[in-house]
Amino acid sequence: MAIVLTKYGYAESSDLRATLAGHIHSVVNETLPLENGMLMKLGKMVKSQELYDVQLPAEGDKIVLILSALYPYEAYTKLMQHEMYLRKEAGEAARAYEIEPMDRYAVADYCITPIGEKPAKDNLVVVDPATGFYKEIAADAETDSYGFVAEIEEIVYKSNLTLAHLRVLKNEQVA
């Protein structure tokens, strides 16, 4: 019998200020699993002074990036250790990075709802409020109503993944 695993969000922290000098939060959502690469709105502290509630963001919200490291003792086969299968179940704490303009990171292309067949270099991505992942928009699209905007710098093929390298242009709360 073959093991069938679902692909969950995948992200790599290429150049995030939070990894050196910024804020990294422990976060939880009681009803929604948190996958790597998701964009969520940071809420209030819950349960303790070190755990924050996160919710799916609206189009104009400032966001945090969900990105948790692997725990090898939970993944007892090589296949399960692959980062594309990592997610935190509802109620389980995850790690969230505050991201700022000029931060760079990568997400799997399947985390982006493309305009065409596939995400394209130089186009922009914004948050998809329905999923917490990304929605591609044209490079010349109006972005004033979006809280989070990033540019697709390049598309890279890496073993069994296609990654979109993103450069953050804006991450702020829009009134």
Side-chain angles (χ1 to χ4, degrees):
M1 184 169 137
I3 296 176
V4 178
L5 296 175
T6 304
K7 284 186 180 180
Y8 296 115
Y10 177 88
E12 293 179 353
S13 60
S14 305
D15 184 17
L16 298 177
R17 181 170 182 233
T19 60
L20 301 173
H23 295 287
I24 302 172
H25 305 283
S26 291
V27 297
V28 67
N29 183 295
E30 294 297 334
T31 58
L32 183 69
L34 299 174
E35 299 180 33
N36 276 354
M38 287 180 87
L39 302 173
M40 300 294 280
K41 181 177 181 178
L42 190 64
K44 298 182 182 208
M45 285 188 206
V46 294
K47 296 185 183 177
S48 75
Q49 292 187 341
E50 295 181 8
L51 188 64
Y52 290 84
D53 178 55
V54 287
Q55 299 299 322
L56 285 172
E59 190 176 271
D61 285 339
K62 181 178 180 178
I63 55 84
V64 291
L65 172 67
I66 304 299
L67 185 60
S68 297
L70 288 174
Y71 298 107
Y73 57 87
E74 292 177 358
Y76 50 86
T77 68
K78 288 285 185 193
L79 186 59
M80 291 173 144
Q81 289 173 7
H82 198 285
E83 293 182 22
M84 71 172 41
Y85 303 112
L86 182 66
R87 80 175 187 167
K88 299 294 185 177
E89 297 301 329
E92 188 178 357
R95 183 173 287 170
Y97 294 80
E98 287 194 17
I99 57 178
E100 299 179 14
M102 301 311 291
D103 277 357
R104 297 174 62 208
Y105 65 100
V107 295
D109 67 338
Y110 58 80
C111 295
I112 301 171
T113 303
I115 297 172
E117 191 176 312
K118 294 183 177 186
K121 181 181 183 305
D122 297 328
N123 276 347
L124 304 175
V125 292
V126 296
V127 67
D128 182 347
T131 64
F133 283 107
Y134 305 82
K135 177 173 58 172
E136 183 181 21
I137 60 173
D140 59 354
E142 180 61 45
T143 60
D144 290 345
S145 65
Y146 296 106
F148 168 81
V149 180
E151 177 185 15
I152 301 173
E153 284 191 321
E154 62 181 329
I155 304 295
V156 177
Y157 305 98
K158 178 181 175 180
S159 64
N160 63 340
L161 284 174
T162 301
L163 297 176
H165 284 226
L166 306 178
R167 181 173 50 92
V168 178
L169 302 176
K170 173 174 135 176
N171 187 25
E172 59 190 33
Q173 187 67 38
V174 175

